[in-house]
Amino acid sequence: INIGHRESSIPFSYLDDKAQPTGFGWEICGKIVDEVKKVTGRADLKVTTQSVTSANRIPLMQNGTIDIECGSTTNNSDRQKQVAFATNYFYTGTRLLVKAGSPIKALADLAGKKVVSTTGTTNYRIMRSYNDEKKLGFELLGAKDHSESQLVVQSGRADAFAMDDILLYGLRASSANPAEWAVVGEALQVEPYAIMLRK
């Protein structure tokens, strides 16, 4: 069984200080693997891991590279056409990570600014739609993962990082100086997380 995991989806699936997968979602997958071993009578079941990104997790599930994915994947009707999901285990919403002291306090403050989000996420799509609907005129940038998105804000190339608030709080807490960061804005749309499986 090949378990797909994320490298920077704190606290659900991320790499620890020994570069090993860990986190809440990772632990759920471990319980599932234990149950598969028990039900199949295969205590010798070979368990492998595969790092996945927001952009490649669904294709890797569909083509059989991974059998189960334990990250921070939103269970929605669009994705259910491509993959299956276990029971939802966490609910979050899109908010903004900004540098402390930023004038951005709400989504409306993004007008004319630069916003980054991780490509392949529902958040990226939501922010693009929100920008069109509200005619805010912000520039939406894409990054390969959550750590890179935070770095884009840290380096001044974007004013805010739009992502699920729980992931933003995880990045803030694990940063070198958490007081340099703030999570702001009202939650935009509910995101239910679930373990992803092949159809």
Side-chain angles (χ1 to χ4, degrees), residues 15-60:
L15 299 179
D16 64 16
D17 58 352
K18 296 172 189 69
Q20 296 302 306
T22 190
F24 182 65
W26 176 257
E27 289 178 16
I28 292 173
C29 276
K31 300 289 185 192
I32 293 169
V33 169
D34 290 345
E35 195 62 25
V36 169
K37 286 179 179 180
K38 193 181 338 173
V39 169
T40 62
R42 293 283 313 270
D44 63 338
L45 182 68
K46 183 180 176 193
V47 179
T48 57
T49 62
Q50 170 73 47
S51 173
V52 298
T53 66
S54 298
N56 71 14
R57 61 190 163 181
I58 291 175
L60 291 177

Side-chain angles (χ1 to χ4, degrees), residues 95-161:
R95 293 180 67 200
L96 306 169
L97 182 70
V98 297
K99 290 180 181 177
S102 167
I104 298 170
K105 305 291 183 218
L107 292 166
D109 298 332
L110 295 175
K113 304 283 188 205
K114 289 186 178 180
V115 180
V116 65
S117 193
T118 306
T119 55
T121 63
T122 54
N123 313 88
Y124 188 91
R125 276 195 349 248
I126 288 166
M127 292 307 293
R128 186 173 53 219
S129 297
Y130 186 80
N131 195 20
D132 292 344
E133 179 188 316
K134 300 294 183 184
K135 304 202 182 328
L136 291 174
F138 60 76
E139 183 181 347
L140 184 59
L141 309 172
K144 73 175 172 66
D145 63 23
H146 307 325
S147 294
E148 183 178 286
S149 292
Q150 182 181 22
L151 186 61
V152 171
V153 175
Q154 188 172 10
S155 66
R157 292 176 283 153
D159 303 291
F161 170 26

Side-chain angles (χ1 to χ4, degrees), residues 179-198:
E180 291 178 350
W181 297 97
V183 177
V184 300
E186 62 280 14
L188 184 62
Q189 184 167 326
V190 173
E191 302 284 336
Y193 289 174
I195 301 297
M196 184 171 61
L197 310 160
R198 207 162 25 261

